């Protein structure tokens, strides 16, 4: 049975003494956080409605290098993902009836194959009046203006975004959303230590900030602090049980903590509620668990699902050979 850690220790004390060494492949929150390693780039993110809720069934259109009117529909949680892209300049558009057209630009550069780039949309009604965002309630107008400038820059120029978020925080020190988005931007600039500090500060200000908690847990997962990560993801799921990736990373963390039975249950919950590339790792780890249990047929099925979702994974050929051997055993 894994040991429960006090949340105060997790979210405050440990962050202050253990920060450092986070992989800079992380992208921020939720679907912004994903280990890289595929053979092509992909763009993903989330679309929000004016009231801050997730926009399900919305079409995101991508144009640019190696892309011409490629579309992706958001899932029930508002997430979208476009894969198979090369480096270059891209334009993303959401043109949904009843809302103003929203366009974001993104430049993909770098040598990290498989890297995910994040673009977030906040829809605005077609009318002239922009409704209040719950996250900005009670925040001074000057701070909101600087925050919005940061959000405009976070995808294309994260360093500039950090400056705007800092300016917003200077005006309003208890600006939890600014701390969270600053953390996401800092991850893009490879300053993972300060990013983790920002996530912790957001949680201190707003203890129920589930997105910040998720990002905190994912950062600890990347640092291989699996006991801490498991405790954080467990807390996240108590608050919101409908987050497939939280189930997945909790399961993987428990797997490394040798709590295989509970890990298997969490991984199954992830795959039961999501069927895309976002939870591909859940199938891979389920395959590993079934191999340990000598359940060759089940292991082959799960590993095949992973390879189908990530056909250009660095070890895809090795996995295909393993699947072939498992089928012979089965």
């Amino acid at each position: 049975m894994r040991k429960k850690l006090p949340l105060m220790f997790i979210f405050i004390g440990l962050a202050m003494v253990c920060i450092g060494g986070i992989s800079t492949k992380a992208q921020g929150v939720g679907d912004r956080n994903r280990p890289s390693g595929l053979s092509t780039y992909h763009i993903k993110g989330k679309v929000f409605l004016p009231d801050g809720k997730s926009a399900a069934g919305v079409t995101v259109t991508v144009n640019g290098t190696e892309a011409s009117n490629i579309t992706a529909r958001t899932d029930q949680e508002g997430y979208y993902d476009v894969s198979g892209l090369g480096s270059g300049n891209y334009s993303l558009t959401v043109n949904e009836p009843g809302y103003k057209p929203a366009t974001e630009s993104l430049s993909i550069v770098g040598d990290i194959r498989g890297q995910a780039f994040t673009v977030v949309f906040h829809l605005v009604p077609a009318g002239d009046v922009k409704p209040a965002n719950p996250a900005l309630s009670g925040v001074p107008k000057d701070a909101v203006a600087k925050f919005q400038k940061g959000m405009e820059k976070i995808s294309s120029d994260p360093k500039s975004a950090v400056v705007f978020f800092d300016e917003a925080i200077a005006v309003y020190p208890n600006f939890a959303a600014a701390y969270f988005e600053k953390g996401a931007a800092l991850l893009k600039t490879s300053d993972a230590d300060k990013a983790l500090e920002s996530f912790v500060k957001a949680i201190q200000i707003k203890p129920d900030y589930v997105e910040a908690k998720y990002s905190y847990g994912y950062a600890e997962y990347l640092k291989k602090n699996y006991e801490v990560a498991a405790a954080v993801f467990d807390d996240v799921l108590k608050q919101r049980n409908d987050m497939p990736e939280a189930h997945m990373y909790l399961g993987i963390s428990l797997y490394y903590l040798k709590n295989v039975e509970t890990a298997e249950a969490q991984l199954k919950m992830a795959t039961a509620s999501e069927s895309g590339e976002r939870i591909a790792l859940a199938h891979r780890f389920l395959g590993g668990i079934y191999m340990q249990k000598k359940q060759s047929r089940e292991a082959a099925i799960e590993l095949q699902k992973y390879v189908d979702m990530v056909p250009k994974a660095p070890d895809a050929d090795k996995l295909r050979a393993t699947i072939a051997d498992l089928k012979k055993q089965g």
Side-chain angles (χ1 to χ4, degrees), residues 151-187:
M151 292 302 294
E152 293 172 0
K153 293 285 187 180
I154 194 168
S155 295
S156 60
D157 188 1
K159 289 184 179 180
S160 295
V162 170
V163 174
F164 284 121
F165 292 135
D166 277 335
E167 291 177 354
I169 292 167
V171 175
Y172 186 62
N174 287 327
F175 203 162
Y179 274 110
F180 167 69
E181 296 295 351
K182 175 186 174 182
L186 283 166
L187 284 177

Side-chain angles (χ1 to χ4, degrees), residues 48 59 163 251 312:
F48 291 91
T59 300
V163 174
K312 295 183 180 180

